[in-house]
Amino acid sequence: MRVRPALALALAPLALTALSVGPGVAVPAAVAAESPCPWVGSTAPSAERAAKLLAAMTLDDKIQMVHGTAAPLAPYGPVQAGQVAANGRLCIPALTATDGPAGIGNAATGVTQLPAPIALWATWDRDLARRYGAVIGEEARGKGANLALGPGIDIARDPRAGRHFEDLGEDPELVSELAVAETHGIQSQGVLATAKHLAAYTQETSRNTDAGDARVDERTLQELYLAPYEKLVAAGVDSVMCSYNKVNGVHACNDTYTMTQVLKGQMGFRGFTVSDWFGMHASVASANAGLDLQMPDACYYDTRLRTALAEKRVAPQRLDGMVTRIVTPMFERGVFDRPATGTPGARVTTTANAQVGRDVAAAGTVLLKNDGLLPLDPATTRSIAVIGSAAGRNALGSGGGSAHVIADRITTPLQALSAEAARTGASFTSYTGALPSVAADKARGADVAVVVVSKLMTESKDEWDLQLSLTDRLVLEAVTRANPNTVVVLDTGAPVDVSPARGAKALLSAWYPGQDYGTVLADLLYGRRNPSGRLPVTFPASQAQLPAAARDRFPGGDHAEGLAVGYRWYAQQGLTPAFAFGSGLSYTTFSYSDLVVGAEQADGSFPVSLTVRNTGSRAGSTVPQLYADQPAGVAATPRALKDFAKIELAPGGSRRVTLTVTARDLSHWDTSQDRWVRAAGDHALWVGDSSRDLPLRGTAHVAATTATSAATPPAPAGSTAGNETAGESVKDAFVCGAGGFMAGGVGLASYFGLPAQQQAVVAPTDTTSTTATGTQVP
């Protein structure tokens, strides 16, 4: 469907059209004689500096600080994704936001196209997550931005969700641990980080509409969908973005329970909450529920908020709190104390940043199957055939929507593997067309056939099934029949039905691997890099196995599966997936032995140690994973991930590894007390290299039941009980008609989807290496 211009304008967060960039980012104003701005350059704590600034602000100054400055009907801007205006009189620099979670978006060029977040999470590597975040922070600053809209920490509930490639996994422990590392990386560059989306944002269909309602019980909300925010808050994340969906009937951006009672009260969040772009549906209700910043426009928090303050429906202390929460992390990250030297048109990609992308792509590629075919030996691989349009012109380095990043160019599998053939003197042929018979003919005579298949996923459109395209399915079946030595590469943002590839000897999930796709793939196939990726999500054997397979669950919104999401569902139901959460093969082998559960520590944690040995002939990495059960008498899904470590070992090498299960890890959410409780009894502990391969077992004995958190506080006086009243909504619509129109466009687009985006400035082609031997059939 062709998107009309008016609708395209309404798709605020998606960055699907070229961004009209205004003047450069405002820098802190020089200190004027009549306004000394003592909060600039001060060594006082950030809270003190924020208090001094607040005391000097007028009502107009404060109002200006709590909304963006995009023009009516503009999807973002005036710079990058959006901007809070600078205030020269008070030396307040502009707060400039940029998408997104996979690198610099908003149609920017001259940036590093990093692998998709799901590829990062498939690394299970905290250090790589920190480096990934540092690249985002560095390039954001180089583009003149100081607020990065990431990381995304939505739980991957269903692989058909359009933003699944932005999701970080189906388990809150994995999600939160790597998100903390990525956040530290972003913030290390003096850029504010934004965790998103609060809360239970699990589908695109009907988003930002009354029909988009995630109905989730309290325990599931706390243990699964809110849990990742707890560690991020403890780590000092600067801001949290509320989501497009409703949560149990209440629009997320005016939901007192999630934003104020849980995030700010129970978890102690000190930063600011920000709306998703045009995700607001109320003025008074949002302010009183705990939303601090409207983006990218102004009407709800300018004209309407002024009226509400004058009529005493919003307390002045609430406005002061909003401003304080926004400026305090700006002080923390040094935004007030340094000039903003970056510009939107700057070229910010570097060799070092590209190397981070390659490292993530290599470590995040998951070897799902290998019947002795890989790694390829140049001495015996004397001919190679590369099949599939996704190997060339349709190679996908990035998914669609606000997480989309445009590369300068993408090195495709076709280019890299043809160059490899030229280097080794092997003959090379390729076919990127759609005819299965031709694909089979090309593959039949080759020592090895490599088939690359793809599925584009994008924000604003859910998938209806797990199927690859009919062309890809037919080509896969034809090639695997013609040549038993077939490698299949999945260029997808989520698990897909892999049954058409059942005849292949090797299968890899490359996700969306970024700009150096082909280079990394060649290194992996030829063994210069040893695959070490582990699945952050489960590959089902069929769509019928999905926890949310029923239409009332996805995209219907009923989260009746509760805690049984991902691998927990498969264990609970006794189902065998195609590939399990946490699994992944290597070109070497490992053994786990000698599990010891140590004595309970003073903080209630238990150390769990084991010996890991590389029993193969190659250096490689593995990921020991620790899972825990609740004791008898506590209703729970089986075995939940609690800790993990990624370690590298030389051939024959071994290491004693210590994992930790904390008191909080062994707790469950007690709805009768509205708090976390660690139950007395024997908590079974399991260690292995996937959720289904757990050979080591131990026990953590807890002597007495204890609370491990404070209770969720009640809603504060004057807060919003639910959605805004009909009368207030009419007033909002009268003043904020343009914003409502844009919000409606976001919702409408979720039923139709959006056009594919540009993958690279220099578009991928079916051109092979000019030095490769053999022939190519386009």
Side-chain angles (χ1 to χ4, degrees):
M1 174 182 177
R2 183 177 180 183
V3 179
R4 292 178 294 177
L7 177 57
L9 282 173
L11 305 171
L14 303 185
L16 297 181
T17 57
L19 177 64
S20 176
V21 177
V25 177
V27 299
V31 177
E34 68 277 11
S35 179
C37 301
W39 43 85
V40 176
S42 169
T43 58
S46 296
E48 288 184 19
R49 298 169 73 183
K52 284 186 177 181
L53 172 57
L54 185 70
M57 297 177 83
T58 66
L59 176 63
D60 286 345
D61 294 329
K62 295 174 184 178
I63 291 288
Q64 178 180 301
M65 201 71 224
V66 298
H67 61 72
T69 51
L73 302 182
Y76 15 62
V79 178
Q80 306 284 9
Q83 189 176 75
V84 176
N87 184 325
R89 181 179 65 82
L90 296 176
C91 310
I92 303 174
L95 182 62
T96 304
T98 184
D99 285 317
I104 308 306
N106 309 115
T109 57
V111 300
T112 305
Q113 186 190 62
L114 293 167
I118 194 170
L120 173 64
W121 257 244
T123 70
W124 291 60
D125 190 318
R126 295 172 178 88
D127 182 62
L128 271 179
R130 180 195 56 78
R131 292 169 60 198
Y132 185 100
V135 170
I136 293 173
E138 176 191 318
E139 295 196 359
R141 275 190 66 184
K143 287 288 189 180
N146 48 30
L147 173 62
L149 301 179
I153 58 172
D154 301 318
I155 296 296
R157 174 184 179 234
D158 194 288
R160 295 167 294 176
R163 299 182 84 165
H164 190 284
F165 70 96
E166 290 185 56
D167 292 338
L168 309 174
E170 64 192 26
D171 180 86
E173 173 70 16
L174 177 63
V175 168
S176 58
E177 283 290 311
L178 269 66
V180 165
E182 181 182 340
T183 295
H184 285 160
I186 293 169
Q187 294 176 172
S188 73
Q189 304 302 305
V191 172
L192 283 68
T194 304
K196 60 182 189 178
H197 306 84
L198 191 76
Y201 181 34
T202 59
Q203 66 182 54
E204 297 302 282
T205 305
S206 303
R207 70 177 192 166
N208 221 31
T209 73
D210 286 342
D213 185 10
R215 300 178 296 283
V216 193
D217 69 88
E218 181 185 319
R219 184 177 174 189
T220 298
L221 198 58
Q222 287 279 353
E223 290 194 19
L224 203 61
Y225 298 108
L226 294 175
Y229 291 92
E230 185 175 2
K231 287 188 178 181
L232 278 164
V233 166
V237 70
D238 299 304
S239 65
V240 170
M241 181 184 289
C242 55
S243 54
Y244 283 128
N245 57 287
K246 287 181 174 182
V247 182
N248 295 321
V250 179
H251 287 292
C253 290
N254 50 280
D255 183 16
T256 300
Y257 179 72
T258 56
M259 286 193 294
T260 294
Q261 293 176 252
V262 175
L263 187 69
K264 296 178 179 180
Q266 174 187 320
M267 295 181 182
F269 177 56
R270 310 307 300 169
F272 63 92
T273 51
V274 56
S275 72
D276 206 336
W277 269 224
F278 302 104
M280 287 182 69
H281 294 262
S283 177
V284 175
S286 288
N288 287 334
L291 181 65
D292 300 312
L293 176 61
Q294 175 184 0
M295 290 298 285
D297 56 341
C299 66
Y300 288 108
Y301 274 2
D302 186 352
T303 305
R304 290 289 293 130
L305 184 56
R306 289 175 188 273
T307 300
L309 287 161
E311 295 175 352
K312 302 188 184 307
R313 288 177 294 118
V314 174
Q317 294 85 353
R318 173 68 190 115
L319 177 61
D320 288 352
M322 294 158 74
V323 173
T324 299
R325 285 178 174 276
I326 294 168
V327 299
T328 300
M330 293 176 68
F331 283 119
E332 289 284 344
R333 304 300 156 219
V335 175
F336 275 83
D337 301 325
R338 63 171 184 267
T341 55
T343 59
R347 180 176 177 78
V348 294
T349 185
T350 66
T351 301
N353 291 353
Q355 184 62 51
V356 172
R358 286 192 291 274
D359 290 345
V360 171
T365 297
V366 183
L367 180 60
L368 298 171
K369 177 182 179 181
N370 185 23
D371 290 345
L373 180 59
L374 298 178
L376 299 178
D377 183 351
T380 56
T381 307
R382 306 311 304 153
S383 60
I384 184 170
V386 175
I387 311 294
S389 67
R393 64 182 180 274
N394 290 327
L396 298 176
S398 183
S402 58
H404 183 70
V405 179
I406 300 174
D408 284 347
R409 65 174 65 240
I410 294 174
T411 302
T412 68
L414 195 61
Q415 293 167 333
L417 292 174
S418 64
E420 194 71 34
R423 185 182 66 80
T424 62
S427 64
F428 178 84
T429 188
S430 64
Y431 178 66
T432 56
L435 296 176
S437 59
V438 178
D441 287 343
K442 288 295 174 183
R444 186 170 288 110
D447 290 334
V448 174
V450 177
V451 184
V452 184
V453 293
S454 67
K455 187 168 188 173
L456 175 63
M457 302 187 77
T458 179
E459 179 180 359
S460 197
K461 182 181 182 297
D462 291 322
E463 299 296 318
W464 293 107
D465 57 47
L466 302 180
Q467 298 295 319
L468 296 164
S469 71
L470 178 60
T471 295
D472 279 347
R473 299 199 304 270
L474 293 175
V475 165
L476 276 176
E477 291 168 352
V479 170
T480 54
R481 284 196 302 267
N483 189 333
N485 292 330
T486 295
V487 180
V488 175
V489 181
L490 303 175
D491 188 5
T492 67
V496 294
D497 180 1
V498 295
S499 58
R502 64 174 65 89
K505 281 193 175 179
L507 176 65
L508 300 98
S509 177
W511 315 107
Y512 300 142
Q515 63 191 35
D516 289 311
Y517 179 10
T519 302
V520 171
L521 180 62
D523 285 345
L524 290 166
L525 294 183
Y526 281 87
R528 292 187 291 272
R529 290 183 184 253
N530 192 343
S532 64
R534 300 283 170 149
L535 287 180
V537 289
T538 303
F539 269 62
S542 70
Q543 186 165 312
Q545 284 191 335
L546 294 175
R551 290 294 295 272
D552 64 333
R553 295 191 187 180
F554 186 91
D558 183 2
H559 290 52
E561 70 280 355
L563 292 170
V565 167
Y567 68 92
R568 305 182 196 207
W569 168 262
Y570 293 85
Q572 181 192 76
Q573 300 296 315
L575 299 171
T576 301
F579 300 104
F581 172 84
S583 65
L585 301 176
S586 170
Y587 295 152
T588 190
T589 55
F590 299 91
S591 68
Y592 294 3
S593 62
D594 304 325
L595 182 75
V596 175
V597 179
E600 182 176 2
Q601 305 299 294
D603 62 358
S605 65
F606 291 84
V608 181
S609 60
L610 67 149
T611 297
V612 182
R613 184 179 303 277
N614 183 339
T615 56
S617 59
R618 288 175 175 263
S621 296
T622 189
V623 182
Q625 301 159 38
L626 169 63
Y627 295 77
D629 280 333
Q630 289 295 324
V634 177
T637 56
R639 294 194 292 273
L641 180 70
K642 298 303 177 185
D643 199 9
F644 60 91
K646 189 160 192 177
I647 60 170
E648 184 171 359
L649 293 171
S654 67
R655 183 182 305 174
R656 194 72 183 162
V657 177
T658 298
L659 304 173
T660 302
V661 59
T662 67
R664 169 68 174 74
D665 288 334
L666 295 179
S667 302
H668 68 281
W669 184 258
D670 188 322
T671 55
S672 67
Q673 301 185 52
D674 290 326
R675 69 175 76 214
W676 291 94
V677 172
R678 185 176 67 159
D682 289 335
H683 295 249
L685 304 179
W686 309 79
V687 177
D689 64 359
S690 82
S691 59
R692 294 183 70 86
D693 184 12
L694 299 167
L696 306 183
R697 187 183 187 280
T699 301
H701 178 73
V702 174
T705 297
T706 56
T708 53
S709 76
T712 306
S719 60
T720 304
N723 295 314
E724 198 152 59
T725 65
E728 286 298 313
S729 294
V730 170
K731 295 175 183 177
D732 284 342
F734 182 76
V735 175
C736 299
F741 175 80
M742 301 295 274
V746 173
L748 181 61
S750 74
Y751 296 102
F752 300 100
L754 297 163
Q757 295 161 267
Q758 178 185 10
Q759 284 288 324
V761 175
V762 179
T765 69
D766 290 339
T767 302
T768 60
S769 168
T770 56
T771 57
T773 62
T775 61
Q776 177 212 2
V777 180

